[in-house]
Amino acid sequence: MRNLGPFVWDEVHGKEKLIITDWREVLPGVQKVRFKRLVQILRPNGEVRAFFVNDGLNIYTPREIRLLGGEVFGEVKVYSDYERKLKENAKRFWAVMVK
């Protein structure tokens, strides 16, 4: 498992302090990324409230996006890096699917 992070930041809201810790985990051999977040609220009287968020995101190649989208939609276009074309070694992909 590869950990990316953690990234920690804090924010003061009135008399309370909010501390957020984010990190990602990439599991080897599995096309899934786990986004994890710990939110802590510190109150002036010393009370601490904490919440844990654990979200999973599936990772797809552009070809897989086209194949999966084509099962439901009539037209599937995959673009990359905020441009209207699919580039090699792109970092981000987005799709437009028309029913």
Side-chain angles (χ1 to χ4, degrees):
M1 176 177 9
R2 189 176 79 180
N3 284 334
L4 304 172
F7 303 99
V8 180
W9 67 90
D10 61 344
E11 179 73 32
V12 176
H13 183 71
K15 294 183 178 182
E16 295 180 338
K17 185 173 188 176
L18 180 69
I19 301 173
I20 299 174
T21 307
D22 286 337
W23 69 97
R24 297 175 295 176
E25 295 177 349
V26 180
L27 303 170
V30 179
Q31 289 183 289
K32 188 172 279 261
V33 175
R34 304 294 315 174
F35 291 96
K36 298 187 178 189
R37 170 175 281 176
L38 178 63
V39 179
Q40 299 173 76
I41 302 170
L42 308 171
R43 298 210 166 129
N45 64 359
E47 180 184 346
V48 178
R49 295 184 66 200
F51 305 94
F52 181 67
V53 180
N54 182 5
D55 292 323
L57 179 67
N58 292 324
I59 301 171
Y60 296 103
T61 65
R63 184 174 187 280
E64 290 170 328
I65 292 171
R66 272 194 213 97
L67 290 172
L68 291 170
E71 292 180 8
V72 177
F73 297 93
E75 183 180 353
V76 178
K77 300 277 186 182
V78 179
Y79 304 109
S80 63
D81 293 332
Y82 306 111
E83 295 183 20
R84 291 192 172 255
K85 61 183 175 182
L86 185 58
K87 298 187 323 187
E88 283 190 40
N89 301 323
K91 303 247 186 242
R92 293 185 174 102
F93 299 103
W94 55 284
V96 176
M97 300 179 197
V98 180
K99 195 81 167 161

